[in-house]
């Protein structure tokens, strides 16, 4: 890490000496043409987010089942807890993508439907 910082500083000094170095904090202009997504694509992504969250809950339930003291299978439990985390991350990435594209301005509250009355085991 120290070598990286040193080489970046050296590069900045050399570039400044030759007059090629311009420091600007201006925000680049982002084109608005790419913001519009088709409704079918948005609906499909919202459905995929729901599927990822549902899969996460299923893996979480299986992990909880295998970690009970009457079943006691810690290896299986760990596997399913990791799988649940991975599915949640997939859903989060899709939410971030929709947010980046400006598609989460309305209807965010009904993006993820969580059934409250499900039993884990």
């Amino acid at each position: 890490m120290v070598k990286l910082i040193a080489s970046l500083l050296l590069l900045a000094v050399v570039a400044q000496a030759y007059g090629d170095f311009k420091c600007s904090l201006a925000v680049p202009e982002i084109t608005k043409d790419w913001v519009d997504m088709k409704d079918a694509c948005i609906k499909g992504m919202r459905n995929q987010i729901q599927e990822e969250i549902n899969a996460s809950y299923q893996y979480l339930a299986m992990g909880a089942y295998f970690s009970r003291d009457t079943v006691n299978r810690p290896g299986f439990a760990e596997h399913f807890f990791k799988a649940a985390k991975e599915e949640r991350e997939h859903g989060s990435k899709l939410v971030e993508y929709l947010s980046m594209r400006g598609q989460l301005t309305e209807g965010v509250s009904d993006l993820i439907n969580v059934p409250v009355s499900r039993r884990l085991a």
Side-chain angles (χ1 to χ4, degrees):
M1 185 67 170
V2 174
K3 288 183 180 180
L4 175 66
I5 294 172
S7 61
L8 288 175
L9 286 174
L10 179 64
L11 181 64
V13 169
V14 170
Q16 191 174 22
Y18 286 103
D20 296 336
F21 186 71
K22 295 179 183 175
C23 182
S24 174
L25 297 177
V27 177
E29 185 64 33
I30 299 174
T31 179
K32 302 296 181 190
D33 297 337
W34 62 277
V35 173
D36 295 332
M37 291 178 69
K38 302 289 183 190
D39 289 336
C41 182
I42 295 169
K43 184 178 178 182
M45 288 189 71
R46 287 177 172 257
N47 289 339
Q48 185 62 35
I49 291 169
Q50 186 63 52
E51 291 297 321
E52 298 287 347
I53 298 303
N54 287 341
S56 174
Y57 285 136
Q58 290 296 321
Y59 284 132
L60 185 63
M62 288 188 279
Y65 172 78
F66 284 114
S67 66
R68 293 189 327 188
D69 60 344
T70 56
V71 178
N72 194 18
R73 298 288 186 257
F76 286 125
E78 180 184 358
H79 169 74
F80 287 121
F81 286 139
K82 284 181 182 177
K85 180 181 176 187
E86 184 179 331
E87 296 299 326
R88 279 192 311 273
E89 289 172 356
H90 293 164
S92 295
K93 287 179 183 178
L94 289 172
V95 168
E96 288 175 18
Y97 181 75
L98 282 179
S99 179
M100 178 194 72
R101 296 294 300 262
Q103 300 301 324
L104 291 182
T105 56
E106 57 187 51
V108 177
S109 61
D110 58 334
L111 181 63
I112 299 172
N113 301 320
V114 180
V116 176
S117 62
R118 276 196 179 169
R119 293 180 55 191
L120 287 178

